[in-house]
């Protein structure tokens, strides 16, 4: 049996030779990047890479060795590509040709903002927190109406919910942003503190019906379970529930809504903070047709799709690791009409002017389908 120290010494010598050859290979990769700089050829050539792997593994009969060789060279080619992107990313015109860097968003006395719902909705509260009480605004019935209004140029900014700490991602919002020529330019978080409100002079003992959005009813389940005799009625949003109770004028009806909505429609608050979780926050995105990002923006949101193949998503996400970019969120969805293909929405920390962000996005853009920067905010 060979001595362990002797074996380790031999491995160390092999590793040094591999390191020297790897550095030589990376220098060749730099030369390839220079060639592609002059010819405009794409860095990623999957056909060439597959042919290379087939040549390297064709004579291997042992499965574990064959798979290991394939994995090693796939990773080496991936590293080479990322190195080439780092050499060429500053010349990528996609970001500079699509987005404008600004000191601040163009918000003035003529700015118009659209949101979904009616006055008193949490969407309206997010709008007020971001733009102030005096901003010109109007509302539309559905989420999709917000993006359609922006796309037609009938408003400067729009507000939509994107995520809730207890309910998760708001379904369909990412797809709406993707389907229209708009981008995310800001975000605002609103603490969701539901109140139980009724007509002035009402009491809990008189209540027979409770109105709210389905999420509002769900988020207050503990409180509502204490009163099984109450009929629960679902409406489009929490502000509509407050308006309905006010309009109906009956002491037997109550609403689960925001304190802002209760005051706006002249209701009396019978109980505050009736939601089960105290830490309940909804994140809203501010959207615009103008492709702008602030110099101090700190989050980039992108979308892309990859085929349903082993390691495909991993290989894309390594662009963030290689460039030391932190990922803060990832969502996935199946692509309609494209069997076993998935779309991904990813948020990362950074600014479109950061070299690391540009480098990572250059690689992802070239190696995925349907790539789009949804915004920097």
């Amino acid at each position: 049996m060979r001595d362990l120290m002797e074996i380790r010494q031999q491995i160390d010598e092999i590793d040094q030779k591999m390191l020297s050859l790897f550095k030589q290979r990376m220098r060749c990769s730099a030369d390839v990047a220079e060639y592609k700089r002059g010819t405009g050829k794409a860095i990623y050539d999957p056909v060439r890479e597959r042919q290379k792997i087939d040549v390297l593994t064709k004579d291997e009969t042992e499965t574990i060795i064959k798979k290991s060789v394939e994995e090693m060279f796939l990773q080496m080619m991936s590293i080479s590509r990322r190195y080439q992107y780092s050499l060429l990313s500053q010349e990528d015109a996609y970001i500079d040709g699509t987005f404008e860097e600004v000191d601040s968003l163009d918000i003035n006395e003529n700015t118009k903002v659209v949101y979904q719902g009616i006055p008193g909705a949490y969407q309206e509260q997010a709008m007020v927190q971001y733009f102030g009480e005096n901003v010109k605004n109007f509302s539309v019935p559905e989420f999709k109406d917000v993006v359609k209004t922006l796309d037609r140029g009938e408003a400067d900014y729009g507000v939509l919910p994107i995520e809730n700490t207890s309910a998760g991602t708001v379904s369909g919002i990412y797809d709406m942003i993707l389907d229209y020529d708009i981008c995310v330019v800001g975000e605002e978080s609103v603490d969701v503190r539901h109140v139980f409100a009724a007509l002035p002079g009402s009491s809990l003992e008189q209540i027979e019906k409770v109105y709210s959005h389905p999420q509002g009813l769900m988020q207050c389940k503990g409180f509502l379970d204490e009163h099984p005799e109450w009929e629960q009625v679902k409406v489009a949003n929490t502000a509509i529930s407050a308006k309905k109770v006010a309009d109906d004028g009956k002491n037997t009806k109550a609403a689960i809504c925001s304190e802002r909505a209760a005051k706006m429609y002249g209701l009396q608050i019978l109980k505050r903070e009736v939601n089960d979780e105290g830490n309940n926050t909804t994140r809203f995105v501010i959207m615009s047709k103008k492709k702008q990002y602030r110099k101090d923006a700190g989050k980039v949101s992108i979308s892309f799709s990859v085929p349903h193949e082993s390691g495909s998503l991993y290989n894309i996400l390594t662009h963030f690791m290689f460039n030391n970019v932190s990922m803060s969120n990832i969502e996935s969805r199946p692509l309609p009409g494209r069997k076993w293909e998935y779309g991904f929405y990813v948020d990362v920390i950074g600014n479109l002017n950061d070299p690391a962000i540009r480098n990572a996005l250059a690689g992802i853009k070239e190696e995925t389908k349907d790539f789009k920067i949804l915004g920097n905010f």
Side-chain angles (χ1 to χ4, degrees), residues 176-374:
M176 292 179 201
I177 299 172
L178 185 61
D179 290 342
Y180 289 83
D181 189 27
I182 58 176
C183 75
V184 181
V185 296
E187 66 177 349
E188 185 69 34
S189 293
V190 173
D191 291 333
V192 178
R193 293 191 175 96
H194 296 310
V195 301
F196 191 73
L199 291 179
S202 300
S203 65
L204 288 175
E205 291 72 26
Q206 293 175 287
I207 302 303
E208 296 176 1
K209 279 188 178 182
V210 181
Y211 297 86
S212 193
H213 184 272
Q215 286 290 340
L217 296 172
M218 183 190 71
Q219 291 167 359
C220 301
K221 186 177 183 300
F223 170 69
L224 293 172
D225 284 349
E226 296 173 7
H227 302 275
E229 71 277 11
W230 291 347
E231 180 184 353
Q232 299 176 27
V233 183
K234 299 173 183 178
V235 293
N237 65 51
T238 54
I240 286 176
S241 70
K243 185 176 186 301
K244 178 170 178 55
V245 169
D247 290 345
D248 288 355
K250 294 182 179 180
N251 293 84
T252 57
K253 297 183 177 182
I256 290 176
C257 59
S258 68
E259 184 167 345
R260 178 183 176 85
K263 291 179 178 178
M264 188 172 289
Y265 296 104
L267 301 183
Q268 176 186 341
I269 296 174
L270 302 184
K271 189 175 178 62
R272 283 182 164 81
E273 298 193 12
V274 292
N275 35 305
D276 298 337
E277 293 185 24
N279 183 25
N280 188 0
T281 301
T282 298
R283 183 166 65 96
F284 295 83
V285 289
I286 312 300
M287 299 165 300
S288 174
K289 195 170 177 65
K290 295 179 181 178
K291 304 294 195 304
Q292 295 179 332
Y293 67 96
R294 301 190 318 272
K295 287 183 178 179
D296 63 348
K299 186 184 294 183
V300 178
S301 185
I302 66 171
S303 66
F304 57 85
S305 64
V306 295
H308 186 58
E309 297 174 359
S310 176
S312 59
L313 179 60
Y314 168 81
N315 288 332
I316 297 306
L317 297 184
T318 55
H319 287 285
F320 297 132
M321 179 183 67
F322 182 83
N323 291 283
N324 198 29
V325 172
S326 296
M327 187 171 64
S328 60
N329 184 54
I330 183 168
E331 303 280 345
S332 67
R333 80 198 193 290
L335 295 175
R338 290 160 64 175
K339 189 176 181 180
W340 308 126
E341 287 194 49
Y342 293 82
F344 293 90
Y345 299 99
V346 176
D347 290 342
V348 295
I349 304 303
N351 187 280
L352 288 177
N353 228 356
D354 296 344
I357 291 290
R358 288 184 171 231
N359 186 24
L361 297 188
I364 294 171
K365 177 176 178 289
E366 184 156 330
E367 296 178 20
T368 61
K369 299 177 182 177
D370 310 311
F371 177 84
K372 184 179 181 181
I373 297 175
L374 302 180

Side-chain angles (χ1 to χ4, degrees), residues 83-123:
Y83 179 49
Q84 291 175 17
Y85 293 133
S86 71
L87 298 175
L88 303 181
S89 62
Q90 294 305 310
E91 300 175 18
D92 188 343
Y94 174 73
I95 292 175
D96 293 332
T98 306
F99 290 88
E100 176 191 9
E101 184 186 59
V102 295
D103 292 323
S104 61
L105 298 180
D106 184 16
I107 302 172
N108 53 56
E109 66 275 7
N110 296 316
T111 296
K112 288 191 296 184
V113 183
V114 60
Y115 66 95
Q116 182 272 336
I118 64 172
Y122 283 108
Q123 287 94 317

